[in-house]
Amino acid sequence: MQTYLHDKPIKYDGTQLVSHFAYNHFNLLGDAIVSFMGPCDVKIDQLVDLEDVHQNAFIFSENMLHFIVEHFHDDLLLTIAWQRLLIDLIISEMKVDLPGGPWERRGDDIYDDVFKVSVSIATRSPVSCLIHTGINISSNNTPVLTKGLDDYHINPQALATGVMNRYRAEIESMRKARAKVRGVG
Amino acid sequence: MQTYLHDKPIKYDGTQLVSHFAYNHFNLLGDAIVSFMGPCDVKIDQLVDLEDVHQNAFIFSENMLHFIVEHFHDDLLLTIAWQRLLIDLIISEMKVDLPGGPWERRGDDIYDDVFKVSVSIATRSPVSCLIHTGINISSNNTPVLTKGLDDYHINPQALATGVMNRYRAEIESMRKARAKVRGVG
Amino acid sequence: MQTYLHDKPIKYDGTQLVSHFAYNHFNLLGDAIVSFMGPCDVKIDQLVDLEDVHQNAFIFSENMLHFIVEHFHDDLLLTIAWQRLLIDLIISEMKVDLPGGPWERRGDDIYDDVFKVSVSIATRSPVSCLIHTGINISSNNTPVLTKGLDDYHINPQALATGVMNRYRAEIESMRKARAKVRGVG
Amino acid sequence: MQTYLHDKPIKYDGTQLVSHFAYNHFNLLGDAIVSFMGPCDVKIDQLVDLEDVHQNAFIFSENMLHFIVEHFHDDLLLTIAWQRLLIDLIISEMKVDLPGGPWERRGDDIYDDVFKVSVSIATRSPVSCLIHTGINISSNNTPVLTKGLDDYHINPQALATGVMNRYRAEIESMRKARAKVRGVG
Amino acid sequence: MQTYLHDKPIKYDGTQLVSHFAYNHFNLLGDAIVSFMGPCDVKIDQLVDLEDVHQNAFIFSENMLHFIVEHFHDDLLLTIAWQRLLIDLIISEMKVDLPGGPWERRGDDIYDDVFKVSVSIATRSPVSCLIHTGINISSNNTPVLTKGLDDYHINPQALATGVMNRYRAEIESMRKARAKVRGVG
Amino acid sequence: MQTYLHDKPIKYDGTQLVSHFAYNHFNLLGDAIVSFMGPCDVKIDQLVDLEDVHQNAFIFSENMLHFIVEHFHDDLLLTIAWQRLLIDLIISEMKVDLPGGPWERRGDDIYDDVFKVSVSIATRSPVSCLIHTGINISSNNTPVLTKGLDDYHINPQALATGVMNRYRAEIESMRKARAKVRGVG
């Protein structure tokens, strides 16, 4: 799969979680993980997570590090598993910068104690499965208690590159693991 | 899915990685994660991991905490993703006992620096997918450099219970996540 | 899976056959069978069954017992098989009230001789598969010859509860059957 | 799918539940339902149903009407759903002979009150899914309380033909239902 | 699967590549390959191939022989494989008329040297997979270098009939091949 | 996927059609197409094609060019489609050497008039799908009328390389085609 870090800010308002985002914006055809920075402002009618809709929990951040992943398969449950591995990989990469850092994954979120560090959702388009994960850079003016990369003095671009390399390696390594075992009785 | 901690030792020689192990031994019908302690001694001809076969890398441990997981589906790639999440959950649970502990996941293994702490494999039977994960309790007389739960003063039974509860919750939470999203364009 | 009998009437006009109906209206997240009573008035442009569209066969009933089933999987053929089992279970439950009752399943419909007792359709949303089944309570003013639960003096609420319990048990029993067999050569 | 009624008795001992039975014995290539009569004597080590193995519940009948179904797909859960529809169709066909007959389906079995009328199992081979259903003709010397077709004066051959025609029509009708619906939101 | 050659011209503008085209226009329910002649004029906003969209490569032909295939399954990758076999079958059928003809398949296109003879796309609807293939009859006024059936003096109707018969036979033959093999170790 | 031409002869007796052949013999882990030359002598009890078994049609050739393909997926029908595309690619590559050559694909075989030029089968292992295709080099002493590459003065090694490159490109091109389309209504 391909990786790409975009160097100009993009405002994430939910319409980026759509099939062929990486192809239409960055000319990457096929499975890809892409990353960019920018504010996050997802209104209720753009929310994909219906639990958030029920709780009227819109999403807002002045600046986030965004990842958009697209796999051209149909398996949403597999995509959710990979989403959670992605979150674990993000935490691992953050701990490279800040060993023993305070983060833990709860479901598909990163928390530092009561502070929410990320948002994430996995869903399906007519031709693919998609993941969005946003890591707060700024923790100002968020609707819930948050912390962001600035609070930890973590460089977003370096984090983005490290995470995308880890994710690509993880997917390849799982495919390899798929191919190296014999069946059992 | 069901969880079960067996209180008598069982020697793991590879023949336990077989469909309906939990049903035939512990009367648990359906998806389950079970755990027991005991030595591990998998000869070459019982190895499921062909990379290990190629490297003549038999498995031996005087005492391990074993997990056997069975899901009655056919999706080996999904099972491999869940296997890796299981490893992450084991590390998280170990860190409850030893905050800031030195472990990291590499592929489907747990490492403490150069010391291997676990073995794991995921495969398929004619009717299900299966995971075996063994965590060293003892690190004596192993064919490679290892550390074990005894070296960290971690109680295996408590770890087993914690891990199985986390895994069950994780699977349920992923199924819930599967059901709470709308599709996108 | 979850079951729920709603105690207030809802008019069924076809827009209820949509993903997350049970979640958005009754706060049930995940696989569910729900039931309610109310008129049925599905205009041509809301029909999901294209054979009905071709025959201009709109659906109308002054009062029906409705079931809406949602399974968060993608297998439409499996859903159709379960739909037909659901119809068989409804007939079985009706015969509890009226032993030796005159009903038989034809495809996905219940008939009493030439009288149509039910309507049903199974289809797919972007994230799930769905079934709607409506059993006539009233047989007045229907566009084809019908009979309804009132004609048989069958209590709709009791029927709904019985049917939903049977359906939940049937699905669970099939999953159990999936897990209890070994493969063959 | 193809149907075939074999006119010579075959003893069913479990080894008939194997891929390509219809092709290797009756030269029917592809999906098929076949039927024959003969004794049933399945020893413990040939049982496919592990619940029966656990209960040491071997199967014996002096004479049964057997159905063997093979579908060249991999979906065991779908096959189980079709198995249960097959049982419902058998009951429907028996009621053509004996209107208001006393049979009901419990899981994948036919019961007349406390009397067991049938055995059935669905499983998977390396290349297909398979169903065996046996209806007692004789109820003599069975290990549990049973009734058989002779007790009801039902002709086995006529039943076999009727059941196979119904099953073929049901499968075709479900495929048609798969093709006639539009998706919903 | 069903085949049908329509004898009146239809202009193909992309809106024909939609689920149930054969059912809604020709009353063919289920898997089908249908054919008709007529101009082809697909504007950018109707293009399904996003590579064409990126290159602003609209499609125009004064007259084409069109095939629309619908399979009521969800496997887009399988459909793409069948699409390419369909192209090979079209070339084989053209060579019946013109032995040793100059055509070769490149991806999903037919080329005669630098001249493009066909367009084709495979995609998915909410309930099925679809293929459109158009073979130029006329090569006048096309936006790229083309040749058409008129240039080769090949009769479109005869070609259509031959191709549809070959495609139906090929699909049936592959299903048969699926059913005639035993598994291996 | 990986390609590999082995430069020493291997006798093909059917036992090579097994999971992980390329990994165990040539150390290629994952999807691969490999090729080698050698005699072909498949006895009845090693035949995978049950039609051949029924006809007692053992396979013998003094020298063949063999291809073994392994895909670590479970879709046998897709594998059969790819097998037939492989045959078409072999014919295309042979025509590079001998333009206008006399070969045509019939099912999964290559024929030159009444002369059989190849054998082929696709099947499934517990963890993968597999294809074997053998092209006669020699046509001496075969049990049916055959022709071989020597009769056409085609160099087997060059053919092998060309075919494997085409197959790898075809598979990649189909995956790309999977990723470049939007869905339709």
Side-chain angles (χ1 to χ4, degrees):
Chain A
M1 70 181 307
Q2 302 165 90
T3 64
Y4 176 69
L5 176 58
H6 194 60
D7 58 2
K8 292 193 191 63
I10 296 175
K11 177 179 167 181
Y12 184 88
D13 62 10
T15 59
Q16 292 75 22
L17 193 63
V18 65
S19 59
H20 301 106
F21 173 81
Y23 183 51
N24 288 333
H25 289 75
F26 311 133
N27 211 30
L28 300 177
L29 182 55
D31 285 21
I33 178 169
V34 300
S35 183
F36 54 87
M37 285 179 284
C40 186
D41 189 1
V42 186
K43 309 297 193 202
I44 297 297
D45 63 353
Q46 276 297 329
L47 287 169
V48 163
D49 184 332
L50 298 181
E51 276 192 332
D52 288 348
V53 174
H54 280 217
Q55 296 162 13
N56 207 30
F58 66 94
I59 303 172
F60 178 80
S61 171
E62 290 187 357
N63 199 17
M64 271 189 163
L65 175 65
H66 299 278
F67 295 96
I68 293 181
V69 182
E70 184 163 23
H71 292 288
F72 286 91
H73 63 210
D74 306 313
D75 192 335
L76 181 48
L77 195 57
L78 176 64
T79 308
I80 287 166
W82 287 358
Q83 174 198 23
R84 295 187 177 205
L85 285 170
L86 173 62
I87 303 297
D88 281 338
L89 296 176
I90 291 170
I91 293 175
S92 295
E93 188 64 25
M94 288 167 73
K95 289 187 177 173
V96 172
D97 273 14
L98 192 59
W103 312 286
E104 64 175 3
R105 177 172 66 81
R106 298 184 196 153
D108 50 20
D109 289 319
I110 301 172
Y111 272 89
D112 168 355
D113 195 7
V114 298
F115 301 95
K116 202 165 184 286
V117 178
S118 68
V119 295
S120 188
I121 194 71
T123 187
R124 192 156 63 183
S125 83
V127 293
S128 61
C129 286
L130 292 154
I131 303 169
H132 170 250
T133 298
I135 318 292
N136 289 314
I137 297 173
S138 159
S139 56
N140 297 335
N141 299 316
T142 52
V144 297
L145 286 177
T146 63
K147 288 213 173 174
L149 297 177
D150 283 351
D151 299 311
Y152 308 114
H153 305 291
I154 292 176
N155 179 282
Q157 284 96 333
L159 179 64
T161 302
V163 164
M164 293 194 294
N165 288 344
R166 279 179 189 254
Y167 187 74
R168 181 181 48 198
E170 188 81 44
I171 298 295
E172 279 167 14
S173 153
M174 286 190 284
R175 293 198 194 283
K176 213 166 168 177
R178 166 73 179 80
K180 75 173 182 179
V181 290
R182 63 172 180 83
V184 295
Chain B
M1 70 182 304
Q2 301 164 91
T3 65
Y4 175 70
L5 176 59
H6 194 60
D7 58 2
K8 292 193 191 62
I10 298 175
K11 178 179 166 182
Y12 184 88
D13 61 10
T15 60
Q16 292 74 23
L17 193 64
V18 64
S19 59
H20 302 108
F21 173 81
Y23 183 51
N24 289 333
H25 290 75
F26 310 133
N27 211 30
L28 300 178
L29 182 53
D31 284 22
I33 178 169
V34 300
S35 184
F36 54 87
M37 285 179 283
C40 186
D41 190 359
V42 187
K43 309 295 194 203
I44 297 297
D45 63 353
Q46 276 297 329
L47 287 170
V48 164
D49 184 332
L50 300 181
E51 276 193 332
D52 288 349
V53 175
H54 281 216
Q55 298 162 10
N56 206 28
F58 66 94
I59 303 172
F60 177 81
S61 172
E62 290 188 356
N63 200 16
M64 270 189 164
L65 175 65
H66 299 279
F67 296 96
I68 293 181
V69 182
E70 185 164 23
H71 293 287
F72 286 91
H73 62 208
D74 308 313
D75 192 336
L76 181 48
L77 195 57
L78 176 64
T79 308
I80 288 166
W82 287 358
Q83 174 199 22
R84 296 188 176 204
L85 284 170
L86 173 62
I87 303 299
D88 281 338
L89 296 176
I90 291 170
I91 293 175
S92 295
E93 188 65 23
M94 287 167 74
K95 289 188 178 173
V96 171
D97 273 14
L98 192 59
W103 311 287
E104 62 175 4
R105 177 172 66 81
R106 298 183 197 154
D108 50 21
D109 289 319
I110 301 172
Y111 273 90
D112 168 355
D113 196 5
V114 299
F115 301 95
K116 203 165 184 287
V117 179
S118 67
V119 294
S120 188
I121 195 70
T123 187
R124 192 155 63 184
S125 83
V127 294
S128 61
C129 285
L130 292 155
I131 303 168
H132 170 251
T133 298
I135 318 290
N136 288 315
I137 296 172
S138 159
S139 55
N140 297 335
N141 301 316
T142 51
V144 297
L145 286 176
T146 62
K147 289 216 171 170
L149 296 176
D150 283 351
D151 299 310
Y152 308 115
H153 306 291
I154 291 176
N155 179 283
Q157 286 96 333
L159 180 64
T161 301
V163 164
M164 292 194 294
N165 287 344
R166 279 179 189 253
Y167 187 74
R168 181 181 47 197
E170 188 81 44
I171 299 293
E172 279 167 15
S173 153
M174 285 189 286
R175 292 198 195 283
K176 212 167 169 177
R178 166 73 178 77
K180 77 174 182 179
V181 289
R182 63 171 180 83
V184 294
Chain C
M1 70 181 304
Q2 302 165 89
T3 64
Y4 176 70
L5 176 59
H6 193 60
D7 59 2
K8 292 192 190 63
I10 296 175
K11 178 178 166 181
Y12 184 88
D13 62 9
T15 59
Q16 292 74 22
L17 193 64
V18 64
S19 59
H20 302 107
F21 173 80
Y23 183 51
N24 288 334
H25 289 76
F26 311 133
N27 210 31
L28 300 178
L29 182 54
D31 284 21
I33 178 169
V34 300
S35 184
F36 55 86
M37 285 179 283
C40 187
D41 189 0
V42 186
K43 309 296 194 203
I44 296 297
D45 63 352
Q46 277 296 329
L47 287 169
V48 163
D49 183 332
L50 299 181
E51 276 193 331
D52 288 349
V53 174
H54 280 216
Q55 296 162 13
N56 206 29
F58 65 93
I59 303 172
F60 178 81
S61 172
E62 290 187 356
N63 199 16
M64 270 189 163
L65 175 65
H66 299 279
F67 296 96
I68 292 181
V69 182
E70 185 164 22
H71 292 287
F72 286 90
H73 63 208
D74 307 313
D75 192 337
L76 181 47
L77 196 56
L78 177 64
T79 309
I80 287 166
W82 286 358
Q83 173 199 23
R84 295 186 178 205
L85 284 170
L86 172 62
I87 303 297
D88 281 338
L89 296 176
I90 292 170
I91 292 175
S92 295
E93 188 66 24
M94 287 167 73
K95 288 187 178 173
V96 171
D97 273 14
L98 191 59
W103 311 287
E104 64 175 2
R105 178 172 65 81
R106 298 183 196 154
D108 50 21
D109 289 318
I110 300 172
Y111 273 88
D112 168 355
D113 196 8
V114 299
F115 301 95
K116 202 165 185 285
V117 179
S118 67
V119 295
S120 188
I121 195 72
T123 187
R124 192 157 63 182
S125 83
V127 293
S128 61
C129 285
L130 293 154
I131 303 168
H132 170 251
T133 298
I135 317 292
N136 289 314
I137 297 173
S138 159
S139 56
N140 297 335
N141 299 316
T142 50
V144 296
L145 286 177
T146 63
K147 288 213 173 173
L149 297 176
D150 284 350
D151 299 310
Y152 307 115
H153 306 291
I154 292 176
N155 179 282
Q157 285 97 334
L159 179 63
T161 301
V163 164
M164 293 194 294
N165 288 344
R166 280 179 188 253
Y167 187 75
R168 181 180 49 197
E170 188 82 44
I171 298 294
E172 279 167 13
S173 152
M174 285 189 285
R175 293 198 193 284
K176 213 167 169 176
R178 166 74 179 78
K180 76 173 182 180
V181 289
R182 63 171 180 83
V184 295
Chain D
M1 70 182 304
Q2 300 165 93
T3 64
Y4 175 70
L5 176 59
H6 194 59
D7 59 2
K8 293 194 190 63
I10 297 176
K11 178 179 166 181
Y12 184 89
D13 62 10
T15 60
Q16 292 74 22
L17 193 64
V18 65
S19 59
H20 302 106
F21 173 81
Y23 182 51
N24 288 334
H25 290 75
F26 310 133
N27 211 30
L28 299 178
L29 182 54
D31 285 21
I33 178 168
V34 300
S35 183
F36 54 86
M37 286 179 283
C40 187
D41 190 0
V42 187
K43 310 294 193 204
I44 297 296
D45 63 353
Q46 276 297 329
L47 287 170
V48 164
D49 183 332
L50 299 181
E51 277 193 331
D52 288 349
V53 174
H54 280 217
Q55 296 162 13
N56 206 28
F58 66 93
I59 303 172
F60 178 80
S61 172
E62 291 187 356
N63 200 15
M64 270 190 164
L65 175 65
H66 299 278
F67 295 96
I68 293 182
V69 182
E70 184 164 24
H71 293 287
F72 286 91
H73 63 210
D74 307 313
D75 192 337
L76 181 48
L77 195 57
L78 176 64
T79 309
I80 288 167
W82 286 358
Q83 174 199 23
R84 296 188 177 204
L85 284 170
L86 172 62
I87 303 298
D88 281 337
L89 296 177
I90 292 170
I91 293 176
S92 295
E93 188 65 23
M94 288 167 73
K95 289 188 177 173
V96 170
D97 272 14
L98 192 59
W103 312 286
E104 63 175 5
R105 178 173 65 82
R106 297 182 197 155
D108 50 21
D109 289 319
I110 300 171
Y111 273 89
D112 168 355
D113 195 6
V114 299
F115 301 96
K116 202 164 184 287
V117 179
S118 68
V119 295
S120 188
I121 194 71
T123 187
R124 193 156 62 183
S125 84
V127 293
S128 61
C129 286
L130 292 154
I131 303 168
H132 171 250
T133 298
I135 317 291
N136 289 314
I137 296 173
S138 159
S139 55
N140 297 335
N141 300 317
T142 52
V144 297
L145 286 177
T146 62
K147 289 216 171 170
L149 296 176
D150 283 351
D151 299 310
Y152 308 115
H153 306 291
I154 292 177
N155 179 283
Q157 286 96 332
L159 180 64
T161 302
V163 164
M164 292 194 294
N165 288 344
R166 279 179 189 253
Y167 187 75
R168 181 180 48 197
E170 188 82 43
I171 298 294
E172 279 167 14
S173 153
M174 285 190 285
R175 293 199 194 283
K176 212 166 170 177
R178 166 74 179 77
K180 77 173 183 179
V181 289
R182 63 172 181 83
V184 295
Chain E
M1 70 181 305
Q2 302 165 89
T3 64
Y4 176 69
L5 176 59
H6 194 59
D7 59 1
K8 292 193 191 62
I10 296 176
K11 178 179 166 182
Y12 183 87
D13 62 9
T15 60
Q16 292 75 23
L17 193 64
V18 65
S19 59
H20 301 107
F21 173 80
Y23 183 50
N24 288 333
H25 289 76
F26 311 133
N27 211 32
L28 300 178
L29 183 54
D31 284 21
I33 178 169
V34 300
S35 184
F36 54 87
M37 285 179 284
C40 186
D41 190 1
V42 186
K43 309 295 193 202
I44 297 297
D45 62 353
Q46 277 298 328
L47 287 169
V48 163
D49 184 333
L50 299 181
E51 277 193 331
D52 288 349
V53 174
H54 280 216
Q55 297 163 12
N56 206 30
F58 66 93
I59 303 172
F60 178 80
S61 171
E62 290 187 357
N63 199 16
M64 270 189 163
L65 175 65
H66 299 278
F67 296 96
I68 293 181
V69 182
E70 185 164 23
H71 293 288
F72 286 91
H73 63 210
D74 307 312
D75 193 336
L76 181 47
L77 195 56
L78 176 63
T79 308
I80 288 166
W82 286 359
Q83 173 199 22
R84 295 186 178 205
L85 284 170
L86 172 62
I87 303 298
D88 281 338
L89 297 176
I90 291 170
I91 293 176
S92 295
E93 188 66 23
M94 287 167 73
K95 289 188 177 173
V96 172
D97 273 14
L98 192 58
W103 311 286
E104 63 175 4
R105 178 172 66 81
R106 298 183 195 153
D108 49 21
D109 289 318
I110 301 171
Y111 273 88
D112 168 354
D113 195 8
V114 299
F115 301 95
K116 202 165 185 284
V117 179
S118 68
V119 295
S120 188
I121 194 71
T123 187
R124 193 156 61 184
S125 83
V127 293
S128 61
C129 286
L130 291 155
I131 303 168
H132 170 250
T133 299
I135 318 291
N136 289 314
I137 297 173
S138 159
S139 57
N140 297 335
N141 300 315
T142 52
V144 297
L145 285 177
T146 63
K147 288 212 174 175
L149 297 176
D150 283 352
D151 299 311
Y152 308 114
H153 307 291
I154 291 176
N155 179 282
Q157 284 96 334
L159 179 65
T161 301
V163 164
M164 292 193 294
N165 288 345
R166 279 179 189 253
Y167 187 76
R168 181 181 48 197
E170 188 81 44
I171 298 294
E172 279 167 15
S173 154
M174 286 190 285
R175 293 198 194 283
K176 213 167 169 175
R178 166 74 180 77
K180 76 173 181 179
V181 290
R182 63 172 180 83
V184 295
Chain F
M1 68 182 305
Q2 301 165 91
T3 65
Y4 176 70
L5 175 60
H6 194 59
D7 58 2
K8 293 193 191 62
I10 297 175
K11 178 179 165 181
Y12 184 89
D13 62 10
T15 60
Q16 292 74 22
L17 193 64
V18 64
S19 59
H20 301 107
F21 173 81
Y23 182 52
N24 288 333
H25 290 75
F26 311 132
N27 210 31
L28 300 178
L29 182 53
D31 285 21
I33 178 169
V34 300
S35 184
F36 54 87
M37 285 179 285
C40 186
D41 190 0
V42 186
K43 309 294 193 204
I44 297 296
D45 63 353
Q46 276 297 330
L47 287 170
V48 164
D49 184 332
L50 299 181
E51 277 194 330
D52 288 348
V53 174
H54 281 217
Q55 296 162 13
N56 206 29
F58 65 93
I59 303 172
F60 178 80
S61 171
E62 292 187 357
N63 199 17
M64 269 189 165
L65 175 65
H66 299 278
F67 295 97
I68 293 181
V69 182
E70 184 163 23
H71 293 287
F72 286 90
H73 63 210
D74 307 313
D75 193 337
L76 181 48
L77 195 56
L78 176 64
T79 308
I80 288 167
W82 287 358
Q83 174 199 23
R84 295 187 177 206
L85 284 170
L86 172 62
I87 303 299
D88 281 338
L89 297 176
I90 291 170
I91 293 175
S92 295
E93 188 65 23
M94 288 166 73
K95 290 188 177 173
V96 171
D97 273 13
L98 191 59
W103 311 286
E104 63 175 4
R105 178 172 65 82
R106 298 183 196 154
D108 49 20
D109 290 318
I110 301 172
Y111 273 89
D112 168 355
D113 195 6
V114 299
F115 301 95
K116 203 165 183 286
V117 179
S118 67
V119 295
S120 188
I121 196 70
T123 187
R124 193 156 62 183
S125 83
V127 293
S128 61
C129 285
L130 292 154
I131 303 168
H132 171 250
T133 298
I135 318 291
N136 289 315
I137 297 173
S138 159
S139 55
N140 297 335
N141 301 316
T142 52
V144 296
L145 287 177
T146 61
K147 289 215 172 171
L149 297 177
D150 283 351
D151 299 309
Y152 308 116
H153 307 291
I154 292 176
N155 179 282
Q157 285 97 332
L159 180 64
T161 302
V163 163
M164 292 193 295
N165 288 343
R166 279 180 189 253
Y167 187 74
R168 181 180 48 197
E170 188 81 44
I171 299 293
E172 280 167 15
S173 153
M174 285 190 285
R175 293 199 195 283
K176 213 166 168 176
R178 167 74 179 77
K180 76 173 183 179
V181 288
R182 63 172 180 83
V184 295

